[in-house]
Amino acid sequence: MNPLSINGVTLVLAIPAAAGALLGLLPGYRLSAQINVLASFGTFVAALSLFIAKPAPGPYILVDDLNIVFIVLNTFVGFTTSVFSASYIGHELESGRLAPAHLRFYHAMYQALLFAMNLALVANNIGLMWVAIEMATLTTVLMVGIYRTRAAIEAAWKYFILGSVGIALALFGTILVYMAARPAVGEGLDGMVWTVLIARVSAFDPALLNVAFVFLLLGYGTKVGLVPLHAWLPDAHAEGPTPISAVLSGLLLNVALYAVLRFKLLLAANPGAIAPGPLMAALGLVSLVFAGFMLYRRRDIKRMFAYSSIEHMGIIVFAFGMGGPLANFAGLLHMTMHSLTKSAIFFTVGHIAQVKGTQKIADIRGLTDSNPALGWSLVLGVLAIAGMPPFGIFMSEFLVVTSTFAREPLLALALVVGLLVAFGALLLRLQGLAFGAPTAGNAPAQASYLPMSGHLALVLMAGIYLPPPLVAWFQHVAGLLG
């Protein structure tokens, strides 16, 4: 085993774990913010080292071509969000929205969240993966309620209750997988190790696997934000700190999606089990259409983009549900573009809310006139997330629609209708936000625009030119997904 690979996967877990423990002991904000950024950058570099060499799979840890996509994306957005968070939370302290006592463990919880998500992505044990996702949920609950307002605490409790229901369903599904594996694998640790399960799954009881996947899809689908299990997501986005909104939309939803994909592969490898694709495609399509119509009724800007996240996770789950090389490639590309674009939008929205002192759409007008940098960044972000060319999401949506038309024209029609509904809602809201008569309130926002502009630049570049190594990598992973 290559020492570099051992250090890489170890550091991906050890850096955020150690940084979280250290940050829990530090009372000062500025030093904590700097350590948070450095630790997040170190974790990202460690993730990149996994390209050079991967460790051999063990009973608890697995690094393969599939989860490297998620790990690198997770650590990159975690790093850029930490840079945004440093200035954003500093402004919240200066404005009095956050008290130092409330913020003592903010950065510690941020690193704990990154650790939990990374652990879920590299776990070879399906029980350990469940524990890691539950840890990420509990950590996020604490961060959503950090403002200590009635609405924030209510949102945190709502997230906790619905998330607990979802994770309980996922636990039951995990137990059923173990029960299905026991006759073929035997009792003990091997019945929970994914590499063992995928090698022996053809001998499992298909009836138990079918029931298990339904519970797993519903359970982890709650974390993905799929309709009708989405109710926690808009409240958590609207009431929590904006950096957590960026992490929720850009990262945590992907981690839950990764868990669903692992079990989809398991089910697809058993010849007697039901095809998992139609269930995923149905939930994804319902989520897309529902969220598209709900975008018209939003009055809070962060809540609106929360429903946009539900829409796009629906597109991604639909693409993976359709399956095949082209649809899987489109799903991977769309997941990457959505994470980069949506986090950039939340960076922008966070700055806007600080400048205007509100998240109400009715009170935010004419940003391109009153705050040109923020206004035009919002315009670019909305055009990107709406799927306008030449941004990367246009390419991924085009591939999803094309692959669906080739196989299921009626589903493609419903998909296009959902996309157009969401497109119209976003452009309708953008018109007033960016180009209406400017509203009063222009407080200074001491913030770094680098993460926001960097993400948008990457999404624009991806829409114009995808490097051949990236295309080949995604094609390879798409082939693994079946």
Side-chain angles (χ1 to χ4, degrees):
M1 190 180 297
N2 192 310
L4 180 59
S5 65
I6 298 175
N7 290 339
V9 72
T10 301
L11 290 174
V12 164
L13 299 175
I15 291 176
L22 175 62
L23 290 169
L25 302 174
L26 297 177
Y29 167 74
R30 293 188 182 278
L31 178 60
S32 296
Q34 293 171 358
I35 294 175
N36 190 50
V37 172
L38 290 174
S40 300
F41 178 70
T43 307
F44 172 56
V45 173
L48 291 177
S49 74
L50 297 175
F51 282 116
I52 301 174
K54 298 188 291 289
Y60 297 104
I61 299 298
L62 168 68
V63 178
D64 61 7
D65 293 334
L66 172 58
N67 61 9
I68 284 184
V69 176
F70 290 82
I71 295 166
V72 172
L73 180 62
N74 195 74
T75 53
F76 175 72
V77 177
F79 163 59
T80 55
T81 303
S82 71
V83 176
F84 164 76
S85 175
S87 56
Y88 177 87
I89 297 298
H91 185 281
E92 298 290 87
L93 278 172
E94 293 175 4
S95 64
R97 287 198 71 197
L98 281 174
H102 294 162
L103 204 61
R104 179 174 177 83
F105 293 110
Y106 171 82
H107 292 113
M109 289 295 100
Y110 187 92
Q111 289 298 318
L113 176 59
L114 293 185
F115 166 77
M117 291 190 294
N118 291 342
L119 179 59
L121 294 175
V122 302
N124 195 20
N125 184 294
I126 59 175
L128 180 61
M129 180 172 65
W130 179 88
V131 170
I133 294 178
E134 172 68 352
M135 179 182 175
T137 301
L138 295 176
T139 304
T140 314
V141 166
L142 295 175
M143 300 180 83
V144 166
I146 197 170
Y147 285 121
R148 300 296 194 273
T149 63
R150 179 171 181 170
I153 294 174
E154 180 181 338
W157 271 109
K158 187 175 184 180
Y159 180 27
F160 174 73
I161 293 170
L162 294 179
S164 297
V165 171
I167 208 70
L169 293 174
L171 175 61
F172 188 62
T174 303
I175 294 171
L176 289 178
V177 170
Y178 176 79
M179 292 176 62
R182 188 172 58 177
V185 176
E187 295 187 357
L189 184 63
D190 283 351
M192 303 288 281
V193 177
W194 192 84
T195 47
V196 175
L197 296 176
I198 194 67
R200 306 285 298 276
V201 67
S202 59
F204 295 178
D205 181 358
L208 270 178
L209 280 181
N210 293 342
V211 178
F213 185 76
V214 171
F215 279 98
L216 289 162
L217 181 59
L218 291 174
Y220 287 125
T222 303
K223 306 292 185 183
V224 178
L226 297 177
V227 174
L229 311 162
H230 67 286
W232 63 271
L233 199 150
D235 289 340
H237 278 70
E239 303 303 333
T242 301
I244 303 309
S245 299
V247 170
L248 278 172
S249 279
L251 302 181
L252 190 56
L253 304 185
N254 292 345
V255 174
L257 172 66
Y258 167 81
V260 172
L261 291 178
R262 282 293 187 194
F263 287 107
K264 174 182 181 286
L265 289 174
L266 204 63
L267 206 69
N270 185 294
I274 60 172
L279 294 175
M280 294 176 63
L283 275 180
L285 191 59
V286 169
S287 300
L288 162 64
V289 175
F290 175 83
F293 281 105
M294 291 298 288
L295 284 170
Y296 286 91
R297 299 177 57 85
R298 299 310 101 199
R299 301 293 180 263
D300 182 290
I301 189 168
K302 288 177 68 178
R303 202 175 290 267
M304 178 180 74
F305 286 115
Y307 273 98
S308 173
S309 293
I310 296 171
E311 173 214 348
H312 284 278
M313 293 311 295
I315 296 171
I316 296 165
V317 171
F318 175 84
F320 286 127
M322 291 297 297
L326 183 57
N328 286 335
F329 179 91
L332 288 169
L333 181 62
H334 198 87
M335 179 189 72
T336 305
M337 294 298 103
H338 173 254
S339 293
L340 294 173
T341 307
K342 188 55 62 64
S343 52
I345 288 175
F346 276 115
F347 297 160
T348 308
V349 167
H351 295 321
I352 291 171
Q354 289 181 335
V355 168
K356 294 297 183 180
T358 182
Q359 294 176 190
K360 293 182 178 179
I361 294 176
D363 297 332
I364 304 173
R365 287 289 185 271
L367 287 169
T368 54
D369 186 17
S370 60
N371 303 88
L374 292 177
W376 287 109
S377 295
L378 183 65
V379 170
L380 292 176
V382 171
L383 291 178
I385 206 68
M388 290 289 287
F391 294 98
I393 286 183
F394 168 77
M395 181 184 297
S396 60
E397 288 184 349
F398 178 79
L399 292 176
V400 174
V401 172
T402 300
S403 63
T404 307
F405 260 120
R407 296 159 60 185
E408 299 289 345
L410 291 179
L411 287 182
L413 180 62
L415 178 66
V416 171
V417 168
L419 291 173
L420 290 176
V421 168
F423 176 83
L426 288 171
L427 290 193
L428 178 65
R429 291 299 186 193
L430 179 64
Q431 182 178 0
L433 288 167
F435 305 111
T439 54
N442 284 298
Q446 301 172 355
S448 170
Y449 294 159
L450 184 59
M452 174 180 68
S453 56
H455 281 209
L456 291 175
L458 287 174
V459 174
L460 178 60
M461 289 170 57
I464 298 172
Y465 174 74
L466 281 176
L470 180 64
V471 174
W473 180 30
F474 275 22
Q475 286 176 334
H476 170 63
V477 177
L480 296 177
L481 289 170

